[in-house]
Amino acid sequence: MIEINFVTSNKNKVREFKEILGDKVFLNHIELEYPEMRSDDPSEITKVAAKQLAEKLQKTVICEDSGLFIKSLKGFPGTCSKYIHQRIGLQGILKLMERIKDRSCEYISAVGYCEPGKDPLAFVGSEKGALAKEIRGAHGFGHDPIFIPEGSKKTYGEDADVEKHKKFRRRAVEKLMEFLSR
Ligand code: ITT
């Protein structure tokens, strides 16, 4: 069985990774907050973090940087998603979008991977969608109650099986699995 050390402070991410990986993988959660560099590119952020964590812990690790990129706001909040979510929340984002017609957005997950002494890698998954006009549903976490994935009328917050259906994280984690099973 493959064993993976996942460094994250976010328990929701652990739950979703477990759902995607099923019983093929033992996911060892290392609960740790770590500093992230400033960049617009989630791959760059997660690679730098994975390298630092692998050297610090002397373990092969994965970590993840994810975020909501709103087209009409030129990609905001993007890699600042956590900070903005803590400061202005979902209502704050809806307010910023009040008179804006184009509500298209994208969710991106970049999974960083690094073995001690080696160069880091990143596996990226994304999913297009639209911002809801109001908060809908309480499933999932973070931006799920305002993100309507392409092809659906419901937000992820309205989907009781959101962990099974969320595509951006699944796409990134499946690329990681492909690499690990090579
Ligand atoms: P780490 O310790 O893994 O960094 P974090 O919560 O700080 O955990 P990020 O830096 O990737 O993670 O922050 C992204 C923010 O975007 C996060 O705080 C959530 O509010 C939101 N987010 C991440 N994944 C999400 C998802 O699947 N659905 C909705 N919102 C999500």
Side-chain angles (χ1 to χ4, degrees), residues 115-144:
E115 297 170 25
K118 298 235 179 115
D119 286 337
L121 298 168
F123 303 93
V124 183
S126 67
E127 177 171 20
K128 290 194 165 37
L131 279 185
K133 294 216 164 102
E134 66 282 310
I135 295 171
R136 284 170 22 199
H139 296 290
F141 67 102
H143 300 109
D144 287 341

Side-chain angles (χ1 to χ4, degrees), residues 22-165:
D23 47 19
K24 286 174 281 186
V25 170
F26 177 75
L27 195 70
N28 180 37
H29 178 200
I30 302 181
E31 193 168 359
L32 195 69
E33 269 205 53
Y34 54 87
E36 281 178 357
M37 70 176 293
R38 262 184 202 273
S39 164
D40 286 342
D41 178 3
S43 297
E44 194 184 5
I45 294 176
T46 204
K47 277 201 284 188
V48 169
K51 176 71 183 163
Q52 283 171 354
L53 289 164
E55 300 308 340
K56 183 178 161 190
L57 302 171
Q58 283 299 302
K59 281 185 173 143
T60 298
V61 297
I62 60 163
C63 53
E64 190 211 45
D65 191 55
S66 46
L68 171 68
F69 293 72
I70 303 173
K71 192 173 162 207
S72 53
L73 302 182
K74 299 190 166 37
F76 181 87
T79 56
C80 298
S81 286
K82 184 184 183 184
Y83 179 81
I84 298 302
H85 190 60
Q86 286 171 339
R87 295 302 183 282
I88 65 171
L90 299 178
Q91 288 294 5
I93 289 188
L94 293 177
K95 194 148 180 51
L96 285 174
M97 292 295 293
E98 233 164 40
R99 267 175 262 281
I100 301 179
K101 275 218 174 83
D102 180 2
R103 303 184 74 81
S104 57
C105 54
E106 189 169 17
Y107 227 96
I108 299 181
S109 155
V111 177
Y113 170 90
C114 193
E115 297 170 25
K118 298 235 179 115
D119 286 337
L121 298 168
F123 303 93
V124 183
S126 67
E127 177 171 20
K128 290 194 165 37
L131 279 185
K133 294 216 164 102
E134 66 282 310
I135 295 171
R136 284 170 22 199
H139 296 290
F141 67 102
H143 300 109
D144 287 341
I146 58 169
F147 183 80
I148 305 171
E150 206 169 62
S152 174
K153 288 198 168 70
K154 286 197 237 167
T155 66
Y156 271 146
E158 291 174 297
D159 182 350
D161 277 328
V162 60
E163 292 90 356
K164 289 195 177 65
H165 298 151

Side-chain angles (χ1 to χ4, degrees), residues 3-20:
E3 195 176 320
I4 303 180
N5 296 304
F6 183 20
V7 185
T8 178
S9 61
N10 190 327
K11 291 196 173 73
N12 297 299
K13 287 187 182 181
V14 179
R15 207 184 51 238
E16 294 198 356
F17 269 66
K18 281 193 171 155
E19 169 64 40
I20 299 166

